[in-house]
Amino acid sequence: MIVREGTSPRIIIWALTIFGLVAIYAPPLYLLGVSFNPSLQPGLPHFSDLTLKWYMALGGENALVAALVQSLIIALATAVIATALSLGAALAYRELQRGRSIWFLTVLLPMFVPGVIQGLALSTVISRIGVKASALTVIAGHLLWAMPFAFIVILTSFAAVKRTYLMAADDLGASRFRQFYDITLPLIRPGLISAFIFSFLLSLNEFTRAFYLAGRQNTLPVVLFGKMNAGASPTIYAMSGAIFLFSSVCVVAVALRALLTQRRVR
């Protein structure tokens, strides 16, 4: 038997990749399957027993619906602010001649702080200065979590902006604002959209920071955690399955848009 050079490492890499994907996606896919089980006990249903009754029952779960609305508002605000701030941070990074590495690490630092520590620290600070926990404090915590990811995505999209484009516009008399609006912004628009979607999903599904910073109206992950410990009805699996499907569709949409943009550039 003849084995081509490099075949064994390739097989090992593919095996590890498949194993990692299975380990990541098996739990949420199992939870999605449980959401179609007509029984009160969690478990995968038989194909003939699949039902949507727990999804239909979500309308009667006032606490879950209210938490979902609260989470959507917080996620939307977080995505808008994180995208805008990250765009400014990326523009500053490109303009800096010195201290780029320090600026880059400063923006990314919150990504490496554990959520428990970050949430507890923010909760302590806002209580010290007399600010009550509310949706605004949750948005502040989610910004620290989402902004580094949005910054990386937007900074990567700047690879499409060539210095020669800006120099040519400058030679033609375009101001800095016109250069940004007419050249830079259209080229990085896919990155801005991706950063917005990722920030939205990160905020929507974030639990640890919201647990410390939420006010009377908790976010959806916090409510789901409380209902899970209380042994609530299987509607929590239906809500989790719906969020998982929504998140998956958004990620797939971003990936497809990135592929289309890459082909268009080529």
Side-chain angles (χ1 to χ4, degrees), residues 200-213:
F200 180 87
L201 294 178
L202 286 172
S203 175
L204 182 65
N205 298 311
E206 210 284 325
F207 165 77
T208 308
R209 295 163 184 82
F211 181 79
Y212 288 97
L213 300 171

Side-chain angles (χ1 to χ4, degrees), residues 68-149:
L68 175 61
V69 173
Q70 181 81 349
S71 291
L72 290 174
I73 295 174
I74 291 174
L76 182 61
T78 300
V80 171
I81 300 173
T83 303
L85 292 179
S86 298
L87 175 59
L91 289 172
Y93 175 85
R94 286 176 58 85
E95 293 295 328
L96 286 174
Q97 300 298 327
R98 295 181 180 179
R100 271 191 171 188
S101 299
I102 297 176
W103 178 249
F104 183 81
L105 293 176
T106 300
V107 177
L108 293 190
L109 182 60
M111 180 190 299
F112 303 101
V113 179
V116 174
I117 296 176
Q118 201 171 74
L120 181 60
L122 287 173
S123 177
T124 302
V125 170
I126 64 174
S127 62
R128 286 281 185 176
I129 62 178
V131 177
K132 294 183 179 180
S134 64
L136 294 178
T137 57
V138 178
I139 292 173
H142 286 187
L143 276 175
L144 291 176
W145 170 237
M147 185 176 168
F149 294 93

